[in-house]
Amino acid sequence: MSYHQIYARWKADPEAFWMQASQAIDWTTPPSRAFFDQGPAGEWFADGMVNTCWNALDRHVAAGHGDRLAVIHDSPMTGSVTRLTYAQLQDSVARLAGVLAAHGIGKGDRVIIYMPMIPQALQAMLACARIGAIHSVVFGGFAAHELAVRIDDAKPRAIIAASCGLEPGRIVPYKPLMDRAIAEATHKPDLTIVFQRPECAGEMTPGRDLDWDAAVEAASPVDCVPVTGNHPAYILYTSGTTGQPKGVVRHTAGHLVALAWSVPNIYDIGPGDVFWVASDVGWVVGHSYIVYGPLIAGATTVVFEGKPVGTPDAGTFWRVIAEHKVKSFFTAPTAIRAVKRDDPQGDLVAGHDLSGLKAMFLAGERADPDTITWAEDRLNVPVIDHWWQTETGWPIAANPLGAGLLPVRKGSPALPMPGYDVQVLDEAGHPVAPGTLGAIVLRLPLPPGTLPTLWNAESRFDKAYLQHFPGFYETGDAGYVDADGYVYIMARTDDVINVAGHRLSTGAMEEVLSAHPAVAECAVIGVADALKGQAPLGLLCLKKGITTEPAQIVAEVVRMVRDQIGPVAAFRTACVVERLPKTRSGKILRATMARIADGETVKAPATIDDPAILDEIRVALASVGYPVEG
Ligand code: COA
Ligand code: AMP
């Protein structure tokens, strides 16, 4: 069936479409129907009984595929490649689940996972799924404070961590970061399980910290525990407009069905195929398509601990694709820009047999046409942009390779996937004509696999996503849809910025800057960055009478953001200004300042309180190297 037939079939009868899709999953008790009009925005397959780990591991082993490779861990950081079959992964997961169960952790209990890109991270996630515990993975590039905020929100019974992560040129000691986070948090977990890596041993707290190896060796394996379809599989925190991250909830059955549909239809991956998603388990891309999606499909997933460049060079991606016979490859545009910067002609592609590669997928930020063309010319495969969010868990718009590729239009992530009715509305909520810019919204209900609510924050869910445009989910992205239905994502409508494919809150950074004793007021904006898409820039107004050198204050706030949010914020620049431009009602004109920093000719908005301030901002931005236009 072609894309257009699939989409039309879904539109004609969503209930029948998703009930049929649900047959790709093993159920303990099949659901009586697909959609349940309950909860803040509807739920899927709520009365079915199912287990994620069974669908990802046990059913493949039971079907005789225990010897098939489940995971290839390729780590240029340690110079090692480790392979795990489905049977080996099932055994290690069942034992780790046994450790958790022996400590009384079960259905509905939360477990935070703070680990780098090692197979144990997948084992930890699957072990939680096996017993119905709700995991929340925290990306390793976040600092202790961010981990503490998530501990206090999720209230985990246990934390599973590695002793360290490996970044180029440095070891990131996760264990002390976890200890600091636990000390800072009000909520305390009962236990932690620490995987000690040879590169750096974490110091253990007796009575609280268990050694992974010893605990797993001594444990008895446990079986999968069926849960209801609307049981939360996981919570994944993502940046909103404030320093308090949003805990996106994923329900079990919708997640399984959406991934079972999307892996073959979008990525063209089936049993035995090798899928490589060069992201991190700490992001939604990692949850859906490094861990769960490929395993549910019975495929082999590549877990890569390295960078696109510098580990050891810009040929690493091509080496991994050739060596492991990768069929579909997925990364962020920023990673390809990094490769292109180091190897502009793509000379390092030569010598690698990429004949098994069928397509490269890009997501996480806008895929600029130059990057797409560069990759197409070097790899000779389709380069497919697709668009989604932590909230949706799987692509909203894509070009479905498995269902038959549609013509590529560079700059567009192509067409809506079944389940998603994409509309563009003006500020008053009226639909706009094709090609007209507006707020991109999705008609409710959202499809299976998308967020049903936010953890412990139903009213925030309502306010952030549902209130502004009744009957629709507000994506927070602005863009347009052309006359043929191709979607174009152009910008965010909120204060979220996208740095190297990572979604970050300027509000969270502003909270950190405001805490500096010399800072009276501040703003953080996202400015264009050739490599990372956007980079954060701080503007600081100092308190009266401050005599400290501005350069010192800037160095201090840069350090504070790194310590409190983490290196992933990539906050490196700030400048001191006398005043910030505001509307007459007091709202800081962040977007106006960002356009000035990007070199656009900007006229003062009609609502501005004092237009003269824009000239002061121009001078300040020019002084730190921005290409400001008069
Ligand atoms: N644990 C600890 N620190 C981490 C980390 C992790 N898991 N991931 C990144 N960091 C650190 C980096 O070491 C870096 O620290 P530094 O300031 O000391 O150099 C900082 O966070 C910023 O990292 P990053 O934004 O990744 O920049 P980079 O300069 O290290 O690398 C790219 C640039 C383009 C190569 C890199 O951003 C990349 O590969 N991006 C892919 C994005 C991606 O996969 N996105 C997911 C959505 S698909
Ligand atoms: P995250 O929740 O971290 O996955 O970030 C989601 C946000 O990243 C989206 O709301 C968009 O702003 C942006 N994004 C993701 N993929 C794309 C894409 N293909 N094109 C443009 N923006 C994208």
Side-chain angles (χ1 to χ4, degrees):
M1 231 193 269
S2 71
Y3 160 78
H4 290 289
Q5 288 167 323
I6 294 173
Y7 194 78
R9 200 167 63 81
W10 161 70
K11 210 149 191 200
D13 191 349
E15 181 71 18
F17 182 91
W18 292 118
M19 279 309 271
Q20 194 188 16
S22 75
Q23 288 171 17
I25 293 306
D26 273 11
W27 300 87
T28 315
T29 310
S32 63
R33 59 183 201 275
F35 185 66
F36 287 72
D37 190 6
Q38 61 191 42
E43 294 179 355
W44 291 92
F45 313 110
D47 67 355
M49 296 297 289
V50 68
N51 181 277
T52 298
C53 188
W54 172 271
N55 277 282
L57 300 178
D58 298 58
R59 66 165 169 166
H60 304 307
V61 177
H65 305 303
D67 291 339
R68 185 187 291 160
L69 281 186
V71 174
I72 300 172
H73 180 240
D74 187 309
S75 170
M77 300 306 304
T78 60
S80 66
V81 175
T82 314
R83 294 178 173 81
L84 286 175
T85 65
Y86 271 90
Q88 287 168 329
L89 188 56
Q90 181 199 33
D91 179 61
S92 55
V93 166
R95 283 176 193 281
L96 182 62
V99 177
L100 293 170
H103 285 83
I105 293 170
K107 212 186 270 193
D109 290 329
R110 273 82 60 206
V111 176
I112 280 187
I113 299 172
Y114 189 52
M115 300 184 101
M117 287 292 286
I118 52 177
Q120 287 74 15
L122 283 72
Q123 291 167 10
M125 293 165 78
L126 290 158
C128 291
R130 195 169 186 86
I131 56 171
I134 304 168
H135 64 64
S136 186
V137 183
V138 178
F139 177 62
F142 284 121
H145 171 71
E146 289 291 318
L147 181 54
V149 168
R150 287 154 176 79
I151 293 172
D152 276 334
D153 197 66
K155 301 195 170 34
R157 296 270 317 270
I159 301 183
I160 307 181
S163 57
C164 63
L166 306 174
E167 285 294 294
R170 74 193 160 101
I171 292 176
V172 183
Y174 283 29
K175 174 65 171 58
L177 290 173
M178 179 189 77
D179 290 341
R180 266 173 53 201
I182 294 174
E184 181 185 328
T186 309
H187 172 85
K188 308 290 177 197
D190 303 344
L191 75 142
T192 81
I193 303 175
V194 181
F195 179 71
Q196 298 281 14
R197 300 190 77 183
E199 292 77 13
C200 152
E203 205 175 303
M204 303 292 265
T205 304
R208 186 197 72 186
D209 298 342
L210 295 181
D211 175 73
W212 172 298
D213 282 336
V216 168
E217 202 182 310
S220 308
V222 295
D223 281 337
C224 296
V225 175
V227 298
T228 55
N230 61 356
H231 179 74
Y234 69 76
I235 306 165
L236 180 57
Y237 288 90
T238 190
S239 300
T241 42
T242 67
Q244 180 67 28
K246 294 170 173 166
V248 168
V249 173
R250 192 88 54 220
H251 279 177
T252 302
H255 183 227
L256 283 164
V257 173
L259 297 182
W261 186 87
S262 58
V263 169
N265 284 288
I266 298 181
Y267 303 101
D268 196 19
I269 289 291
D273 289 336
V274 182
F275 193 14
W276 179 25
V277 179
S279 177
D280 190 284
V281 290
W283 306 120
V284 69
V285 174
H287 281 61
S288 295
Y289 299 115
I290 295 174
V291 186
Y292 292 112
L295 297 177
I296 290 163
T300 302
T301 182
V302 177
V303 176
F304 175 70
E305 188 183 30
K307 301 275 173 181
V309 293
T311 61
D313 59 30
T316 305
F317 276 180
W318 324 132
R319 194 261 310 156
V320 172
I321 291 169
E323 198 171 314
H324 304 308
K325 301 190 171 40
V326 172
K327 182 177 173 192
S328 277
F329 171 50
F330 174 171
T331 190
T334 188
I336 299 301
R337 287 196 298 270
V339 170
K340 182 173 139 194
R341 191 182 60 175
D342 275 22
D343 180 20
Q345 302 309 319
D347 295 335
L348 295 172
V349 176
H352 296 295
D353 175 7
L354 303 186
S355 58
L357 184 70
K358 294 286 172 281
M360 178 164 97
F361 289 84
L362 297 174
E365 58 176 320
R366 185 165 182 273
D368 49 292
D370 276 358
T371 301
I372 295 183
T373 307
W374 185 91
E376 278 174 348
D377 291 349
R378 263 103 210 141
L379 304 178
N380 296 314
V381 294
V383 175
I384 302 172
D385 180 16
H386 62 325
W387 165 61
W388 47 301
Q389 314 181 303
T390 305
E391 288 84 344
T392 65
W394 63 286
I396 306 166
N399 200 333
L401 182 69
L405 206 63
L406 302 156
V408 170
R409 291 190 185 171
K410 286 180 191 154
S412 165
L415 290 142
M417 291 296 94
Y420 294 104
D421 180 350
V422 177
Q423 300 287 325
V424 186
L425 304 182
D426 66 17
E427 201 29 49
H430 303 119
V432 299
T436 310
L437 211 63
I440 307 201
V441 298
L442 309 173
R443 195 186 300 280
L444 295 170
L446 295 176
T450 56
L451 83 171
T453 189
L454 293 175
W455 184 254
N456 274 340
E458 199 175 308
S459 62
R460 187 176 183 193
F461 172 72
D462 195 55
K463 189 156 173 274
Y465 302 108
L466 306 182
Q467 262 178 23
H468 195 162
F469 299 110
F472 296 93
Y473 163 88
E474 184 180 6
T475 64
D477 285 322
Y480 62 95
V481 173
D482 73 12
D484 299 317
Y486 278 67
V487 177
Y488 292 77
I489 306 298
M490 306 310 289
R492 289 289 302 187
T493 57
D494 55 15
D495 295 327
V496 165
I497 59 171
N498 196 314
V499 180
H502 309 314
R503 173 167 157 186
L504 298 167
S505 161
T506 54
M509 292 186 228
E510 288 174 4
E511 283 178 26
V512 176
L513 303 190
S514 306
H516 189 287
V519 172
E521 198 179 23
C522 67
V524 173
I525 57 175
V527 294
D529 183 274
L531 175 67
K532 297 193 174 192
Q534 283 187 302
L537 167 72
L539 294 116
L540 312 172
C541 299
L542 302 186
K543 289 178 182 158
K544 291 263 170 302
I546 295 292
T547 51
T548 318
E549 277 299 305
Q552 187 184 328
I553 295 171
V554 167
E556 284 166 6
V557 296
V558 166
R559 168 61 50 194
M560 284 167 72
V561 174
R562 192 177 173 89
D563 284 350
Q564 289 180 46
I565 296 181
V568 68
F571 182 86
R572 299 210 167 91
T573 325
C575 56
V576 172
V577 294
E578 273 302 309
R579 302 175 292 172
L580 290 169
K582 291 183 187 168
T583 62
R584 279 185 282 279
S585 61
K587 193 174 177 313
I588 297 174
L589 291 162
R590 292 181 182 79
T592 306
M593 290 192 285
R595 287 171 52 218
I596 292 175
D598 290 348
E600 287 181 37
T601 311
V602 174
K603 280 208 286 199
T607 52
I608 195 165
D609 185 32
D610 178 359
I613 301 180
L614 289 188
D615 284 330
E616 296 172 22
I617 296 293
R618 284 190 181 94
V619 171
L621 291 173
S623 76
V624 285
Y626 286 92
V628 169
E629 283 279 313

